[in-house]
């Protein structure tokens, strides 16, 4: 009976990993939202946020998880033609160090800026956990659009992220 229970749990875990790895979230069509939130840590995330601002479909953007040593002018210089946006429309979040604190930083920014709808931009392999944390931190009245930046993650990166996702889900069930 114990072997069967362990085998069943292992089967569920393996099927879950297959779902997680094979059906990664996709980029969303550019639609109207009050704001864009970009989580740092991967290539093309800020590019995607800037693309949305340039489309006129969002007016504000938070880049969450920026290193404390980064200056807005330095960051703007890495993205040609974006200086105007960095002056008027982009806020840099320096408080977060992980996905959970990204969500808390975002929730505080959303409240201060009276945002009712936002687009979350992060990598495809990171989207599920980022969205999980953001949904826990934001009030239900805020509509969130998941906008994944497509990548080619390694099997190891997917394995690590899948386990982080489920460990975080279990921790939240325990109130942690």
């Amino acid at each position: 009976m114990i072997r069967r229970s362990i085998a069943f749990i292992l089967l569920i875990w393996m099927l879950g990993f297959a779902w997680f790895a094979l059906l990664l979230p996709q980029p969303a069509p550019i639609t109207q939202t009050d704001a864009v939130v970009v989580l740092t840590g991967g290539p093309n995330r800020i590019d995607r946020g800037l693309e949305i601002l340039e489309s006129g479909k969002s007016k504000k953007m938070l880049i969450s998880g920026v290193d404390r040593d980064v200056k807005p002018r330095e960051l703007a210089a890495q993205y040609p033609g974006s200086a105007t946006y960095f002056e008027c429309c982009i806020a840099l979040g320096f408080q977060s160090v992980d996905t959970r604190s990204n969500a808390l930083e975002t929730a505080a920014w959303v409240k201060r800026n009276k945002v009712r709808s936002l687009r979350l931009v992060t990598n495809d392999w990171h989207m599920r956990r980022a969205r999980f944390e953001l949904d826990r931190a934001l009030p239900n009245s805020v509509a969130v659009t998941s906008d994944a930046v497509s990548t080619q993650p390694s099997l190891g990166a997917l394995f690590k992220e899948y386990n982080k996702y489920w460990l975080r889900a279990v921790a939240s069930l325990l109130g942690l």
Side-chain angles (χ1 to χ4, degrees), residues 70-122:
V70 172
K71 305 291 182 250
R73 283 187 179 160
E74 294 170 354
L75 191 56
Q78 293 181 14
Y79 300 93
S82 67
T84 307
Y85 293 109
F86 275 91
E87 290 174 14
C88 74
C89 314
I90 298 175
L92 302 182
F94 297 99
Q95 301 303 313
S96 61
V97 294
D98 59 15
T99 305
R100 189 173 182 188
S101 58
N102 281 138
L104 296 173
E105 182 174 61
T106 298
W109 183 82
V110 162
K111 185 176 181 179
R112 279 192 314 273
N113 289 277
K114 298 179 173 81
V115 171
R116 299 180 53 86
S117 63
L118 67 86
R119 174 181 298 267
L120 174 62
V121 176
T122 190

Side-chain angles (χ1 to χ4, degrees), residues 13 19-20 99-100 128-134 136 160-176:
W13 180 89
W19 160 78
F20 186 88
T99 305
R100 189 173 182 188
R128 288 187 179 102
R129 188 164 56 97
R131 180 66 191 261
F132 176 81
E133 293 291 358
L134 193 58
R136 288 179 42 88
K160 183 177 176 182
E161 186 64 22
Y162 177 69
N163 287 305
K164 284 179 167 183
Y165 174 76
W166 284 112
L167 286 172
R168 187 63 194 115
V170 169
S172 73
L173 287 174
L174 298 173
L176 304 173

Side-chain angles (χ1 to χ4, degrees), residues 25-41:
Q26 298 297 307
I30 297 177
T31 56
Q32 190 72 40
T33 56
D34 292 341
V36 178
V37 173
V38 175
L39 306 184
T40 59

